[in-house]
Amino acid sequence: MTPVATPFFFYLLAAIMVIGGILVITRKNAVHSALALILTLLAQAALYLMLYAPFVAGVQIILYAGGIMVLFLFVIMLVNIDRAEKERAFNKQWVIGSIAALALGGLFISVYVKGKAIFPVNPRPGAEGQNTQAIGTMLYGQYMFPFEIASLLLLVAIIGAVVMAKKRI
Amino acid sequence: MHQFVQYVLSYLSSDKTPGSAGNMFWAFVYILLIFTGLSIAVIAMNWLERKILAHMQVRLGPMRVGPHGLLQPIADALKLLLKEDIMPAEADGFVFWIAPLLVVLSAFTVFIVVPFGPTHAVTDMNIGVLFMLGVSSLSVLGIVMAGWASNSHYPLIGALRSSAQMVSYEVAMGLAVVSVILMTSLNATGTGTLSMIGIVQAQQSQGIWFIFKFFPLGLIGFFIFAVAMVAETNRAPFDLPEAESELTAGFHTEYSGFRWSLFFLAEYSAMIAVSSIAVTLWLGGWLRPFPNFLSGSVADLVFSLFPGITFLFLAGMCFYSTARMPKHPYFRIQTLGLAGFGVVLGLIGLLLFVAPVRERVQDIYWFSAKVAAFMYLYIWYRGTFPRYRFDQLMKVGWKVLLPMSLGVLILTAGAGMLFSMGK
């Protein structure tokens, strides 16, 4: 099926993501921030769908919106909200903050200006039906070694968590 | 106008789902049909659950509203709609308001990819199973939000229990699903699929339901999923988030009226959704039973008569009950109503015997029949098993189901390797 109203959906999702991101840092209540972050992640998953990457979108929903954010909320709900609301949400390192923001903004502007030279104008997206299979063959063929290293890293993290949580093993 | 008719008719000759064919009209029709069917199924489940539980406990169950309490769910729905909608004074208004909506949305959205037949699905996604698992795991967010926003102790404890439980059981569930995805790749091309329709077609082409594949590996994987799905939907014996004796009603204690009924609707449609994943992955989806043992045109004909026979049987039960109704004039309207219901069921049954209808409906019938068996199991569990304690629940999830599913996954991969080497 050919895509319908692509620019409209792109700008809609991008607007949702930007608004969600702003809400994450401006809400005083930590639970509201987490919910805004979930909104941003969901909109991001929809953007992946628009880029013909359904597998990445599905994994994004399962892992980030479904798994990690639930644990996040789990922890935040046990925090004393009344005290957290009185604390300042922004710290005073505005010099470093503005330098970082300027650097990031400069990067964005340079990409915007030079973008047509860097990126192909009309990249042919892979067939939607082949996306999952392509990721599978790449992960277990071409990128086998980095994949294994990443999984080893996760294993170390799991063992570290067990060691830290348990006094006697 | 003519163009529109052309557009509508052009789908009928294609053998794809409306989503794959890109036909908006039929996709909309399918969405409406599924939504209506699901709502009717939830209403029927409400009545059946109360009736069956009552009979398991040697009670009668609802008997007053309509013949054999058949109109009880409608009376309940009316009551819930008219009830005052209370929001606790200290509640977080927006989150409290959006939580039931999120739960209902996630419970209904998953039905986009459920394959009721080779073409009877709204769309066929390349990531079907992932989509279903992902979107149904979003419902836990709604539950957690509801529990937190109520600003009350019981709901918060219920919500925390629910999130801990769902995160634990999702792992075992996912690994059991992966073992099925491995089985789908045992074909000539060697590539598996995540599409729901593709999984059923893989079972068709391999000539075996995945529950029997590599016996007993498929069966164990199915068992793990069947346990995890009860835990995922917060039903007895894993209904700790809403344990009545400890938490009054768990995460929805503070909800009333229409908002509460949304949680109810979502719970039952989520039950139907996970059952349909189980049916699609292990029990051959829309395929009829005994495809190898009883094959041939005669068996095909006999099995295609089943939908009609089922409805005629239900009609017969209605007439039997009509004859047994008390003869007092007080019951006259109820008796007439039951007889009328039987006539309607009988007419639907006769319609299902017509050859073109029969051929189109039998896929949907077998799928629904398999899902209905799961729904009966849910009620049966609730009637027989005592509730787990929370530490027992965690122990079952992490120390029994997770190692089992890892073992099944590794053994399935090994068996698949041996199988494809032997070819």
Side-chain angles (χ1 to χ4, degrees), chain A residues 1 29 31-32 35 38 42 54-55 58-59 61-62 65-67 70-71 73-74 77-78 81 128-133, chain B residues 19-20 22 24 92 95 126-127 130 133-135 137-138 140-141 144-145 148 156 160 163-164 167 191-194:
Chain A
M1 188 182 166
N29 192 328
V31 174
H32 289 173
L35 294 177
I38 292 168
L42 286 179
F55 183 77
V59 170
I61 291 177
I62 291 185
V70 169
L71 289 179
L73 276 175
F74 193 99
M77 279 176 190
L78 300 175
I81 297 272
E128 196 185 348
Q130 299 302 316
N131 176 261
T132 314
Q133 282 86 341
Chain B
S20 321
M24 297 282 265
D92 190 311
V95 181
N126 186 243
I127 49 157
L130 268 186
L133 291 179
V135 175
S137 75
L138 283 186
V140 68
L141 279 179
V144 168
M145 280 158 72
W148 177 79
L156 186 62
L160 291 179
S163 55
V167 170
T191 43
T193 177
L194 289 170

Side-chain angles (χ1 to χ4, degrees), chain B residues 4-264:
Chain B
F4 179 71
V5 174
Q6 282 283 310
Y7 180 67
V8 169
L9 291 180
S10 69
Y11 169 69
L12 292 178
S13 53
S14 76
D15 54 349
K16 285 191 280 191
T17 57
S20 321
N23 197 310
M24 297 282 265
F25 176 81
W26 282 98
F28 192 63
V29 168
Y30 267 71
I31 288 171
L32 279 184
L33 277 178
I34 288 173
F35 189 75
T36 325
L38 212 56
S39 307
I40 293 173
V42 170
I43 289 173
M45 259 304 279
N46 179 17
W47 181 76
L48 278 172
E49 178 162 30
R50 293 169 71 173
K51 254 342 211 192
I52 294 170
L53 266 183
H55 285 295
M56 280 177 183
Q57 296 160 351
V58 205
R59 293 185 285 122
L60 282 176
M63 282 300 271
R64 298 283 170 179
V65 191
H68 289 264
L70 267 174
L71 299 178
Q72 185 71 47
I74 295 166
D76 282 350
L78 273 179
K79 182 203 82 173
L80 285 170
L81 280 178
L82 298 177
K83 217 170 157 179
E84 187 190 353
D85 183 22
I86 300 166
M87 190 187 284
E90 292 285 299
D92 190 311
F94 179 71
V95 181
F96 190 85
W97 173 77
I98 207 166
L101 292 184
L102 186 71
V103 177
V104 168
L105 267 181
S106 70
F108 276 98
T109 310
V110 293
F111 283 90
I112 286 180
V113 290
V114 170
F116 294 91
T119 60
H120 300 305
V122 177
T123 186
D124 179 29
M125 279 193 205
N126 186 243
I127 49 157
V129 183
L130 268 186
F131 177 82
M132 283 202 86
L133 291 179
V135 175
S136 60
S137 75
L138 283 186
S139 71
V140 68
L141 279 179
I143 290 175
V144 168
M145 280 158 72
W148 177 79
S150 302
N151 201 0
S152 158
H153 293 276
Y154 288 143
L156 186 62
I157 296 172
L160 291 179
R161 280 185 177 185
S162 171
S163 55
Q165 176 176 333
M166 286 217 180
V167 170
S168 323
Y169 278 77
E170 214 153 65
V171 184
M173 199 175 187
L175 287 173
V177 168
V178 172
S179 71
V180 165
I181 308 297
L182 284 182
M183 288 176 188
T184 61
S185 67
L186 296 175
N187 51 18
T189 56
T191 43
T193 177
L194 289 170
S195 131
M196 300 287 270
I197 290 182
I199 290 169
V200 180
Q201 279 166 347
Q203 300 180 50
Q204 196 169 18
S205 65
Q206 295 180 24
I208 189 167
W209 291 2
F210 284 150
I211 187 175
F212 303 117
K213 187 104 183 169
F214 299 139
F215 190 81
L217 290 179
L219 192 63
I220 299 174
F222 170 74
F223 169 76
I224 292 165
F225 189 91
V227 174
M229 80 183 197
V230 179
E232 282 276 299
T233 45
N234 295 329
R235 292 280 301 182
F238 299 105
D239 57 345
L240 285 123
E242 38 196 299
E244 293 90 352
S245 45
E246 308 152 29
L247 300 177
T248 52
F251 61 88
H252 54 61
T253 306
E254 302 289 350
Y255 281 83
S256 59
F258 188 62
R259 290 177 215 266
W260 180 83
S261 69
L262 286 182
F263 278 116
F264 181 84

